[in-house]
Amino acid sequence: MSQFMVEINLPAEMTEEFTVKIPHQRLKVNELMENGKLLTYALSFDRQKLWCVVKAQTEFEAMEIISEFPLINFMDPTITELMFNNIVSLRMPLFSLN
């Protein structure tokens, strides 16, 4: 299974049609993350770029996953296969019963 970085350009202006779909986008992102298909999801402060890492067999499959986004019609994605992706996770310290 490969990982793909998806860099997405977003529209400069948020129309009402775009804004109405944001809650649906968030639900889909959460679903894809819970299913392990989407590993990361980040939005630039100016809301012009979005980055996510998708877990898929092929670039085509990665695009199929991204096409599930409710906001896909407002997005201009570029997909790049990654050689590796180091993810830092916060871990709770292990407790000793001794």
Side-chain angles (χ1 to χ4, degrees):
M1 189 72 64
S2 297
Q3 293 181 15
F4 296 85
M5 172 63 73
V6 183
E7 182 176 7
I8 299 168
N9 293 315
L10 296 171
E13 289 186 38
M14 281 199 229
T15 63
E16 184 177 341
E17 184 182 0
F18 181 94
T19 306
V20 166
K21 292 186 178 190
I22 291 173
H24 303 287
Q25 177 76 11
R26 290 182 179 160
L27 287 173
K28 179 51 80 173
V29 166
N30 289 340
E31 176 190 317
L32 292 170
M33 291 188 98
E34 288 173 11
N35 294 339
K37 293 179 180 180
L38 194 62
L39 303 179
T40 63
Y41 187 80
L43 178 65
S44 65
F45 186 76
D46 64 4
R47 297 183 175 115
Q48 296 298 295
K49 284 214 182 264
L50 184 68
W51 298 272
C52 56
V53 176
V54 177
K55 193 172 179 183
Q57 294 285 349
T58 64
E59 183 178 335
F60 182 78
E61 184 183 340
M63 189 60 213
E64 284 183 326
I65 291 167
I66 295 304
S67 70
E68 295 179 35
F69 286 170
L71 291 172
I72 191 64
N73 292 334
F74 300 93
M75 299 176 162
D76 180 21
T78 302
I79 300 176
T80 306
E81 187 171 9
L82 299 175
M83 177 65 74
F84 62 88
N85 178 26
N86 292 338
I87 300 175
V88 176
S89 63
L90 299 175
R91 295 186 181 158
M92 296 295 291
L94 297 175
F95 292 99
S96 173
L97 298 176
N98 293 332

